[in-house]
Amino acid sequence: MSARIVIVGTGVAGATAAQTLRREGYAGEIVLVGAEPDLPYRRPAVSKELLSGTGSFDRAVLKPVKFWTDNRIDLRPAFGVESVDTERATVRLGTGEVLGYDSLLLATGARARSIDTASTRVHTLRNRADISALRTAVIEGGSLLIVGGGLIGCEVAATARGLGAQVTLLNAGPALLDRVVPAAVSELVHRIHVKHGVVVENDAATTQLVDTSDGVTATTADGRTWSAAAALVAIGSVPETALAEAAGIAVNDGIIVDQHYRTSAPGVFAAGDATTGFHPLRGEFERGQHWNSAMTAGAAAAMSILGHPAVVAEVPWGWTDQHGVSMQFAGWMHPHDELVVDGDLDAEDFLAVALRDGRPVGAVAMGRPRELRATRPLIAAGERWQFGTPPTPVAVS
């Protein structure tokens, strides 16, 4: 009987792992199983072009059906996996079929974090299946409350304004994207949203969402209320660990993996948003939640399965598009890091580098994607920072 690798999860981590296995010459059987009914696709498109209707799903698909067939990757969408038996090295599919494996990769991803509510007008946005109801609510209702000032909340705010809706953004923190970018850039993002008609309310921790006769009302911890035709909860994600937990695999805010993506169970690996792994550059465990990190992890996990493990010391990075403005970011920034800027924040044309003890820990850019990419190895090296031209210091309030 030929060897078989089973991959659970058809997101970018699982799909990249399958492609890497074949590219590296693995000749055995690859079974790629997913709960979603679709071909593997670019999930960042969900809150942008797919929600706005400016892009087709076909353009978001990672690879056409023919690719998976030609590469002898047995793609099985729609049913998912019900259970894992690590002692027998088997998985039970949603169809009831039991498959044995020589190696198993759990790339189960994450689900949107929600607020407990009985409201029928409250949405979350994580997968393609979430798009239609939210888009209809935005277009037909004409107004939207967004709970959460992170990447998804800000992107949907921009998309909903583009669809003509009135948008109120309720952010529990002191500034938009405060976990992603430094304070000065948060303030810029705030100004961009206000300029495009978004009402932004910071320090507005939502505690309740209830239906009204014509929409939904949000109540914050200090008793303030806002109403709209519909609401989106965009307060982060929760790793999908139930399958691993039921199998007795160690979990702590994600499936725990070592530097080679091995779990606590022999022959079982994990990668992507579902995992918590040791990052060698930081010297601590963290849960990566960006598209690029999941793609890198999928490829690295595949190499580890093949017996060629390598420590990935990549600086995490990502991007966001809001109101026609594209912003790239990298590293581990804190709102109170020292910030040096090359360019002009107000002109939305800059590279800003966050420094801690004189060393770069992150960077964010608008209009300068190449320069942002060039900072990543410098952040990884942790050397003291110096621009080619004298930097402009930005005061942190």
Side-chain angles (χ1 to χ4, degrees):
M1 182 179 297
S2 63
R4 176 188 291 148
I5 297 173
V6 174
I7 302 171
V8 183
T10 53
V12 67
T16 301
Q19 295 174 62
T20 302
L21 290 170
R22 280 290 182 252
R23 186 172 61 247
E24 294 297 321
Y26 176 72
E29 191 177 348
I30 301 173
V31 182
L32 179 59
V33 186
E36 291 189 65
D38 303 300
L39 290 171
Y41 61 94
R42 293 187 299 107
R43 208 170 298 277
V46 167
S47 58
K48 304 180 186 73
E49 57 263 40
L50 294 183
L51 180 61
S52 68
T54 59
S56 69
F57 181 70
D58 288 345
R59 292 181 63 86
V61 167
L62 293 177
K63 299 289 183 181
V65 172
K66 188 175 186 297
F67 171 86
W68 306 105
T69 303
D70 289 351
N71 284 276
R72 297 182 296 109
I73 297 171
D74 184 1
L75 178 60
R76 302 194 188 190
F79 293 101
V81 172
E82 288 187 346
S83 63
V84 173
D85 187 330
T86 58
E87 292 187 3
R88 293 182 174 83
T90 61
V91 298
R92 179 178 293 276
L93 307 186
T95 59
E97 181 181 2
V98 176
L99 292 177
Y101 64 79
D102 294 277
S103 296
L104 173 67
L105 174 63
L106 299 177
T108 45
R111 66 184 183 277
R113 191 183 300 275
S114 61
I115 291 176
D116 187 19
T117 178
S119 174
T120 59
R121 298 184 177 95
V122 175
H123 304 263
T124 57
L125 185 64
R126 181 76 186 180
N127 305 319
R128 184 194 182 194
D130 301 325
I131 296 173
S132 178
L134 178 60
R135 179 177 164 82
T136 298
V138 168
I139 294 173
E140 294 184 357
S143 61
L144 181 69
L145 290 175
I146 298 177
V147 179
L151 287 171
I152 298 299
C154 287
E155 288 175 356
V156 173
T159 299
R161 282 297 295 146
L163 292 172
Q166 296 178 346
V167 178
T168 301
L169 189 55
L170 304 179
N171 179 36
L176 298 179
L177 302 178
D178 60 349
R179 296 185 179 182
V180 180
V181 298
V185 181
S186 292
E187 292 167 6
L188 172 61
V189 172
H190 186 126
R191 293 196 297 271
I192 290 171
H193 277 279
V194 171
K195 181 175 69 175
H196 286 85
V198 177
V199 176
V200 179
E201 299 287 351
N202 289 319
D203 297 312
T206 301
T207 57
Q208 189 178 49
L209 289 165
V210 296
D211 278 342
T212 60
S213 59
D214 58 353
V216 59
T217 294
T219 302
T220 57
D222 57 7
R224 291 176 292 166
T225 61
W226 287 268
S227 297
L232 171 74
V233 176
I235 54 175
S237 64
V238 180
E240 290 283 14
T241 60
L243 197 65
E245 290 183 74
I249 296 170
V251 168
N252 183 13
D253 188 34
I255 304 168
I256 299 174
V257 295
D258 66 10
Q259 293 185 59
H260 304 312
Y261 301 91
R262 296 174 296 205
T263 72
S264 61
V268 181
F269 301 76
D273 291 359
T275 64
T276 292
F278 185 82
H279 200 293
L281 293 179
R282 301 196 73 189
E284 58 187 52
F285 281 82
E286 66 176 19
R287 186 164 75 89
Q289 300 182 59
H290 294 305
W291 167 265
N292 302 290
S293 298
M295 183 165 54
T296 299
M303 295 302 293
S304 189
I305 289 171
L306 294 176
H308 308 296
V311 175
V312 176
E314 182 182 70
V315 173
W317 66 282
W319 76 96
T320 181
D321 298 314
Q322 302 172 30
H323 302 292
V325 177
S326 182
M327 181 171 71
Q328 299 81 37
F329 49 88
W332 302 272
M333 290 173 281
H334 185 278
H336 300 295
D337 288 330
E338 178 188 357
L339 193 67
V340 292
V341 177
D342 185 31
D344 188 344
L345 284 168
D346 290 332
E348 299 167 13
D349 176 23
F350 65 88
L351 170 69
V353 180
L355 304 179
R356 208 170 296 159
D357 298 325
R359 290 175 170 79
V361 292
V364 58
M366 287 184 181
R368 303 188 181 191
R370 290 184 180 179
E371 292 181 32
L372 187 283
R373 286 197 295 272
T375 66
R376 288 166 57 203
L378 301 177
I379 295 169
E383 298 177 356
R384 298 190 72 83
W385 179 261
Q386 184 175 0
F387 276 121
T389 56
T392 301
V394 176
V396 177
S397 58

